[in-house]
């Protein structure tokens, strides 16, 4: 059955509002700005909801690049048409379920409560604690007083770095970073607001991140969860997502096998909550204070679609010997150049056997998207990683020269 792909990319904000009865103020424009990310998953006949206009050149370019024919639509289907489509959101919240039901889609409501439970950091923190996988010193706090007490015990010097995370957080958002045992006024205000809403916070040591991976699984109602695959996460210095390396070799898989084992264990626990659907687990290799390499297998747990899951969908465009990355670049009007033109200039100096396929348009409703993206395909890992670095260096230079 064809799908209607709906990008409620402010999913965690929706859960926060539902859980604590507060307005989150999340930008609805995310639905339009990130809608093209569904291209990694979309198949012929699918519809992608995008309530804005796209340049005709972009859809023509997708066809030329070999993407399956999908329809970008700014209109909801009629109730009759909705019954012949499978509604697929980024994540299941009460808000999106009510919207889908009002538009005539048949939906499974049993997953809603489980989705809220599993996506809360309190769920993964409890698993980390029970299985002795948490970072040393990590703790849950439910008041400013307990937070200050935890920080006094946590920080052995003014140089101790830490991160404070909200119960619903994503991609380096809804968190605050600091140093030492004293709370700055901005961090105190941020924490007080969330604690007043009845939301626990989670204090963790800041560690030296070496590499990260995303493990993608599918949870069925009956039967064993399925491992879809693993991607190497490409994040910036702040920890925000900037892409996925899609094809990984056997040595990389072996390196992350202990993490995959934990992910399979987590998936079975998630299944017991009644949740069905996609799950993404982020894991990290880091260096501790003594310089030893450690693994955090359950850094983040997302019971929804993830960029890593969509990235794996691009494997269908590769031959057996090719490797690829899906890269994302923040884009601004102030750059003074469209993404495709910038890409043409930069790629003139890339190796000849490297292929670059844009997966986002230059404009959405006349404005550049928040994130511009591309599929990078190479014949070997050396060329792939060299090209990744060249593109990111060029983007950093563009950032610096335009202020």
């Amino acid at each position: 059955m064809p799908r209607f792909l709906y990008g409620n990319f402010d999913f965690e904000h929706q859960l926060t509002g539902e859980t604590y009865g507060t307005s989150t103020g999340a930008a609805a424009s995310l639905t339009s700005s990130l809608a093209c990310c569904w291209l990694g998953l979309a198949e012929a006949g699918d519809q992608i909801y995008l309530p804005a206009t796209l340049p005709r050149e972009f859809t023509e370019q997708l066809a030329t690049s070999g993407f399956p024919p999908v329809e970008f639509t700014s209109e909801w289907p009629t109730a009759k048409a909705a019954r012949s489509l499978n509604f697929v959101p980024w994540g299941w919240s009460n808000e999106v379920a009510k919207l889908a039901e009002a538009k005539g889609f048949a939906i499974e409501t049993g997953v809603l409560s489980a989705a809220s439970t599993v996506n809360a950091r309190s769920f993964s923190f409890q698993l980390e604690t029970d299985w002795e996988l948490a970072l040393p010193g990590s703790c849950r706090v439910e008041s400013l007083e307990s937070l200050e007490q935890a920080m006094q015990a946590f920080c052995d010097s003014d140089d101790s770095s830490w991160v404070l995370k909200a119960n619903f957080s994503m991609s380096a958002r809804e968190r605050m970073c600091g140093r030492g045992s004293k709370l700055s006024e901005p961090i105190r205000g941020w924490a007080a607001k969330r604690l007043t809403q009845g939301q626990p916070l989670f204090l963790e040591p800041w560690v030296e991140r070496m590499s990260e991976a995303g493990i993608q699984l599918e949870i069925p109602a009956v039967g064993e969860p399925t491992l879809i695959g693993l991607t190497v996460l490409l994040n910036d210095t702040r920890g925000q997502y900037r892409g996925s390396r899609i094809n990984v070799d056997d040595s990389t898989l072996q390196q992350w096998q202990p993490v995959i084992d934990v992910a399979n264990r987590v998936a079975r626990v998630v299944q017991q909550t009644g949740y069905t659907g996609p799950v993404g687990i982020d894991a990290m290799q880091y260096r501790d204070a003594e310089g030893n390499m450690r693994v955090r297998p359950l850094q983040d747990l997302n019971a929804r679609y993830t960029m890593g899951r969509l990235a794996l969908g691009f494997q269908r465009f590769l031959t057996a010997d090719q490797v690829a990355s899906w890269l994302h670049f923040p884009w601004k009007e102030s750059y003074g150049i469209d993404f495709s033109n910038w890409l043409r200039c930069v790629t003139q100096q890339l190796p000849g056997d490297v292929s670059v396929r844009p997966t986002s348009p230059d404009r959405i409703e006349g404005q550049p998207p928040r994130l511009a993206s591309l599929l990078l395909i190479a014949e070997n890992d050396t060329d792939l990683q060299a090209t990744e670095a060249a593109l990111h260096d060029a983007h950093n230079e563009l950032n610096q020269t335009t202020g």
Side-chain angles (χ1 to χ4, degrees):
M1 179 184 290
R3 295 169 295 179
F4 188 88
L5 303 172
Y6 180 77
N8 56 322
F9 299 105
D10 59 345
F11 169 65
E12 281 81 5
H13 293 289
Q14 291 177 348
L15 293 185
T16 301
E18 292 168 4
T19 303
Y20 303 108
T22 58
S23 174
T24 62
S29 62
L30 283 174
T31 301
S32 296
S33 186
L34 300 179
C36 292
C37 291
W38 283 116
L39 287 168
L41 187 72
E43 299 174 353
D46 287 345
Q47 297 181 27
I48 298 175
Y49 182 67
L50 198 165
T53 57
L54 284 176
R56 187 185 71 252
E57 295 81 8
F58 176 65
T59 53
E60 293 174 347
Q61 170 195 306
L62 291 177
T64 302
S65 298
F67 285 92
V70 299
E71 178 186 354
F72 290 98
T73 179
S74 60
E75 302 291 336
W76 288 89
T78 64
K80 180 179 179 181
R83 288 193 290 271
S84 64
L85 294 168
N86 182 21
F87 183 82
V88 178
W90 183 248
W92 280 108
S93 66
N94 286 318
E95 180 179 328
V96 79
K98 289 177 182 177
L99 176 63
E101 204 165 31
K103 299 297 184 181
F105 290 99
I107 62 170
E108 177 57 59
T109 58
V111 73
L112 297 177
S113 176
S116 181
T117 297
V118 174
N119 280 286
R121 187 167 295 277
S122 52
F123 183 86
S124 59
F125 178 79
Q126 192 62 53
L127 291 182
E128 281 193 301
T129 302
D130 292 345
W131 297 348
E132 299 182 346
L133 299 174
L135 294 175
S138 299
C139 62
R140 168 179 171 147
V141 297
E142 299 189 22
S143 68
L144 276 177
E145 181 182 13
S146 63
L147 172 58
E148 290 172 333
Q149 291 173 350
M151 291 184 64
Q152 291 293 334
F154 182 86
C155 299
D156 54 13
S157 73
D158 289 340
D159 291 329
S160 298
S161 297
W162 45 264
V163 56
L164 188 62
K165 297 180 178 180
N167 200 26
F168 295 100
S169 59
M170 72 303 289
S171 187
R173 295 188 292 275
E174 278 297 292
R175 75 176 196 186
M176 299 294 280
C177 298
R179 186 185 299 271
S181 60
K182 301 293 185 181
L183 284 176
S184 68
E185 285 308 311
I187 295 179
R188 177 184 292 274
W190 180 90
K193 178 179 179 181
R194 285 148 184 82
L195 292 167
T196 300
Q197 295 170 354
Q199 180 179 174
L201 299 176
F202 299 86
L203 182 65
E204 300 175 359
W206 184 266
V207 295
E208 184 184 359
R209 182 177 62 247
M210 305 305 294
S211 60
E212 292 179 274
I215 299 88
Q216 308 301 325
L217 305 109
E218 185 72 21
I219 311 294
V222 179
E224 284 292 309
T226 301
L227 175 67
I228 303 299
L230 177 145
T231 63
V232 174
L233 292 178
L234 306 173
N235 294 335
D236 63 18
T237 55
R238 294 184 63 246
Q240 288 190 310
Y241 179 78
R242 292 295 174 254
S244 297
R245 195 167 295 145
I246 300 169
N247 279 26
V248 294
D249 56 23
D250 289 341
S251 64
T252 301
L253 283 176
Q254 185 176 3
Q255 173 188 350
W256 290 101
Q257 188 58 50
V259 166
I260 295 173
D261 294 340
V262 171
N264 285 324
R265 187 180 177 189
V266 171
R268 289 190 286 272
V269 176
V270 169
Q271 188 178 42
Q272 292 170 8
T273 69
Y275 176 82
T276 60
V279 164
I281 296 174
D282 293 345
M284 171 178 62
Q285 293 180 331
Y286 67 96
R287 198 181 303 278
D288 65 16
E290 288 72 39
N292 300 312
M293 289 294 294
R294 304 290 185 189
V295 176
R296 186 184 186 186
L298 186 49
Q299 178 170 273
D300 284 303
L301 171 59
N302 300 296
R304 56 165 170 80
Y305 280 99
T306 66
M307 291 298 178
R309 177 64 176 270
L310 302 190
L312 286 175
F314 291 114
Q315 287 181 320
R316 58 194 155 146
F317 301 118
L318 311 178
T319 66
D321 297 328
Q322 290 179 321
V323 291
S325 297
W326 188 35
L327 304 181
H328 294 239
F329 302 87
W331 209 257
K332 304 174 185 177
E333 185 76 42
S334 60
Y335 289 164
I337 185 173
D338 284 341
F339 179 66
S340 62
N341 290 334
W342 173 81
L343 203 54
R344 274 191 287 271
C345 294
V346 174
T347 54
Q348 287 177 359
Q349 304 177 31
L350 299 180
D353 57 354
V354 172
S355 168
V356 177
R357 303 183 191 179
T359 54
S360 64
D362 286 333
R363 301 274 160 171
I364 299 176
E365 203 68 30
Q367 298 295 319
R370 293 188 181 190
L371 282 177
S373 62
L374 61 88
L375 178 63
L376 176 65
I377 302 174
E379 301 302 319
N380 57 74
D381 284 322
T382 300
D383 284 349
L384 182 72
Q385 294 182 37
T387 305
E388 288 172 358
L391 289 168
H392 283 295
D393 287 347
H395 182 255
N396 288 337
E397 183 178 347
L398 182 64
N399 251 330
Q400 294 168 3
T401 56
T402 58

